[in-house]
């Protein structure tokens, strides 16, 4: 499958998954659950996912990034994944009462037990999904991701409607894991089999030893957010913070999340061919920032009316948090594949130290913000975003060898396009307009048209990709009409 065709299928998966998750979050938040319910689940999930760093141990990256792969070793990799997953499930289950006691919330324990049950199933999808990425079979991966999202979110909505409260979200996590493992194995079954000795899995374990430290650092920095907010500001504040972070993160994933997985495989091929990565990396940055910056500017501008329209007045406290989180995302998407590219280039040891610095900054900045207040916690995302960008821009600049002048040129054009895209909404809000859903949609559509015009006018590198994607999508339709 070509890179652009793979990107189309990957984008389709991202759009489908986002749509399902987005609709579910709106329905559940508006009709069934309060911020305190979502906050309770967010703390349980964050606590469990910090432990789950043991689960993958870089197996997915190892399989998808290797120049050559022995089919005989795949069952052994799957067995290692299952063994680790079951160990993680046991740790989460045993830790549940202690976490509930630490937060003085007895209801946390059953939520953690349900999430632990999902870790018994999740590893059965690890190797099959990694093989699909390696083979760039994103059409099948679409079925895996979209199907599991539909099963999990459908379960969560149904149980929330029946009055299950926060536990409906935990049951949704379990249903997602079961569906993902089932669909992945239907298409690319790999039966786990323990190796007679460690020879077949030694390369993977060697990679995983450093990958674990890397994953641990990243998990602490990312997953500790809800834990810190919950401990300092309370359960309801955690729900508001989590909902804002989730919406901004989902939009980022929707806009460009699919591109990363495709380019990871493409960069691996360029590495194997000995080709330089600086030029294609800057092109990737251009695509990321062109799409994401425009989306984040729009999200920041429309934060308050969007929260009221989607989630209702109970969630209005998340609007300022959403605004700051969206602005912070502008930095986080400005240096894409910040962990994947160093791994492909064999720089895992140095990456570990860089990531540890990043983690320390994340925890310290958010903690300081939380002690000031909830909105300060949101502002801290912008501060941390800038620090994050400095760390990884300097690191990848030296590693890949791209020129900072070229990087700033890309940023300048993406920034102009983002401001132009937000122009219609800026004008409407400046005139005191309180847009409803229809008005927001029309203003967004106007922003997209303005953004496309700005891409063409500035000769942005992403304009070529937009035209080629449009041609690829329209070609089958035109051929049918011609036939």
């Amino acid at each position: 499958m070509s890179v652009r065709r793979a990107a189309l299928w990957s984008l389709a998966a991202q759009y489908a998954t986002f749509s399902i998750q987005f609709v579910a979050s709106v329905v559940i938040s508006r009709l069934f659950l309060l911020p305190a319910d979502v906050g309770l689940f967010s703390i349980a999930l964050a606590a469990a996912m910090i432990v789950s760093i043991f689960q993958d141990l870089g197996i997915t990256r190892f399989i998808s990034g290797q120049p050559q792969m022995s089919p005989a070793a795949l069952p052994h990799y799957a067995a290692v994944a299952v063994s680790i997953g079951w160990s993680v499930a046991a740790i989460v289950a045993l830790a549940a009462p202690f976490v509930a006691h630490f937060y003085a919330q007895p209801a946390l324990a059953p939520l953690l037990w349900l999430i632990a049950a999902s870790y018994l199933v999740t590893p059965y999808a690890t190797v099959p999904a990694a093989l699909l990425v390696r083979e760039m079979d994103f059409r099948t991966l679409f079925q895996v991701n979209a199907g599991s999202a539909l099963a999990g979110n459908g379960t969560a909505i149904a149980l929330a409607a029946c009055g299950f409260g926060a536990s409906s979200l935990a049951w949704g996590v379990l249903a997602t894991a079961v569906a993902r493992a089932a669909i992945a194995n239907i298409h690319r079954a790999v039966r786990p089999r323990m190796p007679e000795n460690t020879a077949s899995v030694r390369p993977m374990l060697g990679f995983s030893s450093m990958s674990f430290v890397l994953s641990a650092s990243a998990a602490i920095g990312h997953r500790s957010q809800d834990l810190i907010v919950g401990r300092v500001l309370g359960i309801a504040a955690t729900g508001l913070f989590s909902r804002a972070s989730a919406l901004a993160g989902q939009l980022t994933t929707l806009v460009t999340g699919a591109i990363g997985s495709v380019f990871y495989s493409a960069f691996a091929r360029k590495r194997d061919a000995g080709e330089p990565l600086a030029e294609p990396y800057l092109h990737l940055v251009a695509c990321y920032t062109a799409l994401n910056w425009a989306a984040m500017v729009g999200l920041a501008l429309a934060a308050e009316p969007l929260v009221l329209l989607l989630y209702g007045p109970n969630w209005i406290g998340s609007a300022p948090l959403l605004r700051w989180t969206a602005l912070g995302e502008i930095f986080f998407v400005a240096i894409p594949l910040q962990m994947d590219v160093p791994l492909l280039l064999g720089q895992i040891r140095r990456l570990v130290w860089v990531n540890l610095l990043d983690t320390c900054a994340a925890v310290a900045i958010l903690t300081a913000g939380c002690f000031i207040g909830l909105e300060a916690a949101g502002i801290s995302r912008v501060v941390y975003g800038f620090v994050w960008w400095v760390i990884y821009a300097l690191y990848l600049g030296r590693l890949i060898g791209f020129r900072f002048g070229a990087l700033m040129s890309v940023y300048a054009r993406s920034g102009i396009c983002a401001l132009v895209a937000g122009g219609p909404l800026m004008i409407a809000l400046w005139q005191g307009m309180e847009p409803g859903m229809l008005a927001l949609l029309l203003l967004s559509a106007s922003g997209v048209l303005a953004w496309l015009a700005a891409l063409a006018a500035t000769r942005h590198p992403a304009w070529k990709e937009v035209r080629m994607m449009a041609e690829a999508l329209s070609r089958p339709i035109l051929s049918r009409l011609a036939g």
Side-chain angles (χ1 to χ4, degrees), residues 240-241 243-244 247 299-308 311-312 314-326 374-375:
L240 297 173
F241 185 87
R243 180 58 72 218
L247 185 55
L299 187 60
L301 289 170
E304 187 169 329
L306 197 61
V307 167
L308 283 173
Y311 303 123
N314 288 331
W315 293 87
I316 191 60
S318 66
L321 303 178
L322 178 59
R323 182 176 299 111
W324 293 115
T325 302
L374 182 56
E375 186 166 359

Side-chain angles (χ1 to χ4, degrees), residues 89-117:
I91 294 171
V92 173
L94 291 172
F98 300 99
V99 175
H101 176 74
F102 181 76
Y103 285 94
Q105 295 287 338
L108 278 173
L111 296 182
L112 281 164
W113 288 329
L114 283 171
I115 295 171

Side-chain angles (χ1 to χ4, degrees), residues 10 13 37 40 71 127 174 182 206 244 262 302-303 309 312 328 349 441 448 463 473:
S10 193
D37 297 315
L40 194 68
V127 173
L174 178 56
V262 175
L309 288 168
R349 291 183 181 276
L441 291 174
V448 170
W463 176 240
L473 289 171

Side-chain angles (χ1 to χ4, degrees), residues 186-272:
I186 288 173
H187 291 286
R188 198 66 170 82
V190 178
R191 182 174 298 178
R193 186 175 71 251
M194 290 301 296
E196 297 179 0
N197 53 62
T198 61
S200 62
V201 296
R202 192 175 295 125
M204 184 195 71
L205 294 176
F207 177 88
S208 298
S209 61
M210 292 304 296
S211 181
F212 165 71
V213 179
L214 186 64
S215 298
S217 175
I220 292 171
H222 182 66
R223 299 299 175 185
S224 63
Q225 294 177 25
D226 290 339
L227 299 178
I228 294 170
V229 175
R231 182 64 178 175
V232 178
L233 297 174
I235 301 298
T238 306
L240 297 173
F241 185 87
S242 175
R243 180 58 72 218
S245 299
L247 185 55
Q250 285 174 343
L251 185 56
T252 298
T253 302
L254 169 69
V255 175
T256 52
I259 298 176
S261 58
V262 175
F263 268 88
Y264 181 80
S265 300
F267 280 161
R269 294 181 179 182
K270 289 183 177 294
R271 174 207 60 188
D272 297 339

